[in-house]
Amino acid sequence: MFLQQIASGLALGCVYALIALGFVLIYKATEVVNFAQGEFMMLGAFVALSLMTGAKLPFFLTIFLAVMIMGVFGMVLERMVMRRLVGEPIFALVMFTIGLSIFLRSIAGMVWSTDTFKFPTVFGKSFTQIGSVTISSMDILVVSITAALVIILYLFFKFTDIGIAMEATSQNQFASFLMGISVERVFNLIWAISAMVAAVAGILLAPILFIHKDMGFIGLKAFPAAVLGGFGSIPGAIVGGLIIGLSENLAGVFLPAWVKDVFAYIILIAVLMVRPEGIFGIQEKKRV
Amino acid sequence: MRFKLKKSYVEDLRLFEYRSSLMWYLALLAFLAVFPFFAGTYWVYNFMLAGIYSIVALGLNILTGYTGQISLGHAAFYAIGAYTTGFLTTKLGCTFWLALPLAGMAAALIGLIVGIPALRLTGIYLAIATMGFAFIIDQVILEWKYVTNGTNGLIVDRPTLGPISFNSDQAYYYVILLFVVLFVWITKNFERSPTGRAFIAVRDSEVAAQTMGISLAKVKTTAFAISAFYTGFAGGLFAPLINFIGPDNFSIMESINFIVIIIVGGIGSVHGSIFGAIFMTFLSEIIRLGKDVLPEAMQRMVGFQGAVYGLILMAFILFEPLGLYGRWLKIRFLFEVFPLYRRDTFRKKRKFYRSERSR
Amino acid sequence: MAYFKITDLTKRFGGVLALEGVDMEVEKGQVYAIIGPNGAGKTTLFNCVSRVYSPDEGAILFKDKDLLKLRPHQIARQGIARTFQNIELFTNATVLDNIFLGRYMYKKSSVLSEAFFTPWVKDQELKARRKVEEIIDFLDLQAYRDERISSLSFGIQKIVELGRALALDPELLLLDEPSSGLNPEESQDLCFWIEDIKEDLGITIMLVEHDMRFVMQVSDAITALDFGRVIAQGHPREVQGDPEVIKAYLGEENGATP
Ligand SMILES: Nc1ncnc2c1ncn2[C@@H]1O[C@H](COP(=O)(O)OP(=O)(O)OP(=O)(O)O)[C@@H](O)[C@H]1O
Ligand SMILES: [Mg+2]
């Protein structure tokens, strides 16, 4: 029972981590805090659902297409809108993406109605026996896909030219610009990658949760994960996501039911009181 | 352009720079005073709501607009105020006129408590922490049934004062009007006092503020407390207005709505707070005005309101970051200097690649 | 007992030794200049005094009071004001409000009395205003009183920042590169103002400056820093002629020194 809670906590934590990763990627490169990340995830799930039930495509093709479509969506959004906001104060950016999230939610409600949908999964409710513990296959899938994705992203940032350009841009935009890196292209790509990661998160979350226009609200729980880890740190997002997912599930076992829902925030506030820059964050002070 | 010869420093401390502007404000006040006599209940009710939002916006502006601290959790202070009045009047039989200031103070106290851990947080960290605080308060409202009745909510009556009953909308309207004027005046007083200047100093440069002998801790917690006081007080006025308060009234969307009000109105200005409150209260009216432009079918779609709301928020940040008040100032400026303005007078400065990560 | 005394001050940033065992004594009424090439640690020294940074070792005593025991905002109350190398004004406020903020620490009014702007508060503000106007007159800023900082030229902003520091009524004034970015005319004005601040207001001044002509004109004593260490100290003429200083500024021909 306890171990099972840990397993499903890990799976939930992975989803949080993926959404948090989306925040962090965008923030690192462009300094935009994307409150609509949860809505990207919701859109990804809905697109996958439509492809599967509407177009009746096979499972893995569906997922591939949905992720690609969201990637294009991210690019278009960056090109058409976000680019105009480069350099605006953080407060304006936060409010802008909040507006975007409200807008996307409403649009999703118009397109896909406000009903709740169930995502058909290839695994059904199968379980795997590991020693004395039974773990749902879905949980294992979620954890392994997350791990794979993180490794791919790591390799991408470490070894490809464009990945290195992105890393450089996130360190110092102006210097990268002067070094001949096309900062705009980097931004464009980062939005695409972020939206793709969100789509994966949405598809992974869909069998755990239901698909609904408001499912993006779970993004608000991924925020504590990103902030906990130190906003802007990729390992921070993963660790933060896992901490939040695990502790939330364990709180469900050991603490009164109502605490579970806000436990992420209780942990967040507790950590920030000790480390105001999060676990892996670095607090930069303005030089005077 | 208008120039004025000033003969004494006292003139700079006046609330109204020109005699004519004083006249305009008096006229506006007179209009608002007779408003309930000719307007229908619908308008009176919405004006009350706009009044309450104005107080919240003034308070939020003190924290966000003047001091530069983001709060995504102001609905919590609003809730604390509303439930304090609700609890004190219905369950303890306390008079509304005492419960109302207590509502403000309860919120201010919590504001202080929140303000202290918030001291070391900036930017997005502060935004998320305050949002978390609001979620926690939400849960407390649901669970602390002795005070809040949980999901059943509280029924709160309109107040009376001796023989006078403020039960009707027309009567309660004057209560709210009185407090809106009071809070506007107080905010203006802060603007011309050392504490108000200290708020701005902390917003613009924390290091420099410290070298002026300003304690960041003191000023930020003061801003939090004052802001919470305004918001709690507004919550206290809100509870009897709608007669019934439940957890749904104070969700995260309400916190966001407060910020939208100050953005749409214009951040960091008293006028902006009020413009924004009125605009957002009558948003559905304004959408209805635009009805002819759009096909009927689209109007009736679920989520249409939400979509427009989101679009308005985005549009203001993209095109009118100074809000309605900023637009008004620009228009007035153009008239004043006509035909001397240049097209680029208000051209937005492009701020390329500036980082706010370090401060 | 020295008026202002720094002993063995050391500050590291990771591997960088920004200050290394710096000793310095300033006497009351002096204009004391700190010179040195870029990155020598001059600004870091000021930042340690105004408690923006905490040094790793050493002591800073002002009138026998240990400044390192104080919090940043308490430095002003000891009678120390400063300006910044890259200007730290309150950009969205007017010149008047900026200088007014220099009077903040003298306020006696409570938040509550300010909320209602009692006659007493009004009186306090009028008194502060008179002080502010004295400074505006002293620095010839009358024309800019109601301008926002963001609409002013760099040179004017520097002068406003000086005014804001003077509004604190300090005993010791730290100026970080006051003449950089000023045109020759403004620079000359500044020379006279520094004389006046020293002679008429009796304020002790420490300044960081690159312009040697300016330094020679105004200073009574100099410390030269290089890579965080004191390389010369004393009378301006001596320091100017010191071979170490010349070497630090011009570099050594054979490039033996780091
Ligand atoms: N906050 C900081 N973090 C890391 N290193 C710093 C920091 N502040 C200063 N330094 C380093 O300390 C050294 C001294 O810097 P400082 O700003 O004091 O030089 P300076 O003498 O004022 O130079 P300049 O004439 O260019 O203003 C430099 O190597 C600088 O890079
Ligand atoms: Mg320097």
Side-chain angles (χ1 to χ4, degrees), chain A residues 51-65:
Chain A
L51 288 173
M52 200 168 329
T53 55
K56 299 245 175 349
L57 296 175
F59 184 74
F60 285 101
L61 183 61
T62 304
I63 289 178
F64 177 76
L65 277 179

Side-chain angles (χ1 to χ4, degrees), chain A residues 7 46 64 83 91 99 119 157 163 168 173 197 199 257 263:
Chain A
F46 266 121
F64 177 76
R83 190 166 293 181
F91 176 68
F119 198 70
F157 281 112
Q173 288 174 10
V197 173
F263 202 63

Side-chain angles (χ1 to χ4, degrees), chain C residues 43 85 176-177:
Chain C
T43 302
Q85 182 171 352
D176 199 345
E177 305 200 4

Side-chain angles (χ1 to χ4, degrees), chain A residues 4-23 41 138-140 142-147 150 197 201 204-205 208 218 221-226 228 234-250 260 264:
Chain A
Q4 240 159 294
Q5 285 299 331
I6 290 198
S8 60
L10 272 180
L12 187 64
C14 281
V15 177
Y16 288 153
L18 283 181
I19 307 175
L21 196 61
F23 292 138
M41 183 201 75
M138 195 58 216
D139 289 349
I140 294 177
V142 168
V143 175
S144 27
I145 290 189
T146 307
V150 169
V197 173
L204 291 181
L205 188 65
I208 304 178
I218 202 163
K221 279 232 183 103
F223 263 118
L228 188 68
I234 291 179
I238 314 283
V239 172
L242 293 180
I243 291 178
I244 300 277
L246 273 179
S247 53
E248 202 177 73
N249 255 27
L250 294 182
K260 186 183 180 218

Side-chain angles (χ1 to χ4, degrees), chain A residues 287, chain C residues 13 16 18 36-45 53 85 177 210:
Chain A
R287 283 209 206 166
Chain C
F13 294 105
V16 180
N38 292 115
K42 307 176 297 292
T43 302
T44 307
L45 182 87
Y53 298 145
Q85 182 171 352
E177 305 200 4
H210 281 297

Side-chain angles (χ1 to χ4, degrees), chain B residues 94-352:
Chain B
C94 166
T95 162
F96 173 78
W97 308 106
L98 179 61
L100 191 57
L102 285 178
M105 281 188 242
L109 187 69
I110 305 285
L112 268 181
I113 296 171
V114 177
I116 291 164
L119 281 179
R120 295 165 68 198
L121 305 180
T122 47
I124 185 66
Y125 290 86
L126 182 60
I128 303 295
T130 48
M131 186 171 87
F133 156 72
F135 280 127
I136 293 170
I137 294 288
D138 259 356
Q139 283 296 328
V140 172
I141 290 173
L142 281 172
E143 292 304 313
W144 197 11
K145 300 206 170 68
Y146 167 66
V147 172
T148 66
N149 284 357
T151 40
N152 293 334
L154 276 179
I155 292 172
V156 190
D157 290 327
R158 299 261 171 95
T160 55
L161 185 63
I164 316 161
S165 159
F166 292 98
N167 204 19
S168 72
D169 280 352
Q170 270 74 8
Y172 195 53
Y173 170 91
Y174 288 104
V175 175
I176 290 178
L177 182 61
L178 173 76
F179 285 118
V180 172
V181 173
L182 183 71
F183 277 101
V184 166
W185 180 63
I186 290 177
T187 314
K188 278 287 183 196
N189 287 343
F190 279 130
E191 270 185 1
R192 52 185 176 155
S193 305
T195 302
R197 284 192 289 264
F199 290 155
I200 292 172
V202 168
R203 177 191 69 194
D204 283 359
S205 170
E206 292 194 356
V207 202
Q210 284 180 318
T211 63
M212 301 289 105
I214 295 172
S215 155
L216 296 184
K218 194 174 148 201
V219 168
K220 284 187 190 176
T221 42
T222 306
F224 254 104
I226 293 177
S227 181
F229 183 88
Y230 277 57
T231 314
F233 202 98
L237 286 169
F238 175 70
L241 171 70
I242 60 166
N243 293 122
F244 172 82
I245 48 171
D248 291 347
N249 295 117
F250 310 102
S251 68
I252 171 87
M253 289 314 288
E254 192 67 2
S255 293
I256 290 172
N257 194 33
F258 293 157
I259 303 181
V260 174
I261 288 174
I262 63 170
I263 287 182
V264 167
I267 288 181
S269 90
V270 169
H271 288 91
S273 305
I274 291 167
F275 284 1
I278 293 174
F279 184 87
M280 292 313 285
T281 310
F282 288 96
L283 182 62
S284 49
E285 269 332 285
I286 293 163
I287 293 175
R288 208 169 300 160
L289 284 180
K291 185 164 154 186
D292 310 332
V293 192
L294 294 166
E296 186 77 16
M298 211 170 160
Q299 285 276 316
R300 268 188 279 107
M301 270 179 125
V302 254
F304 178 76
Q305 280 266 354
V308 173
Y309 184 90
L311 274 180
I312 285 181
L313 176 53
M314 289 190 280
F316 265 96
I317 290 168
L318 266 179
F319 305 113
E320 206 67 74
L322 295 179
L324 293 171
Y325 185 57
R327 166 61 37 192
W328 160 248
L329 288 184
K330 283 180 203 170
I331 294 172
R332 207 178 61 180
F333 181 80
L334 292 189
F335 274 112
E336 278 177 2
V337 300
F338 185 83
L340 291 177
Y341 69 89
R342 288 169 307 172
R343 234 186 66 212
D344 286 350
T345 306
F346 293 113
R347 170 92 129 242
K348 217 158 92 181
K349 263 195 231 146
R350 291 283 274 175
K351 295 153 285 187
F352 270 114

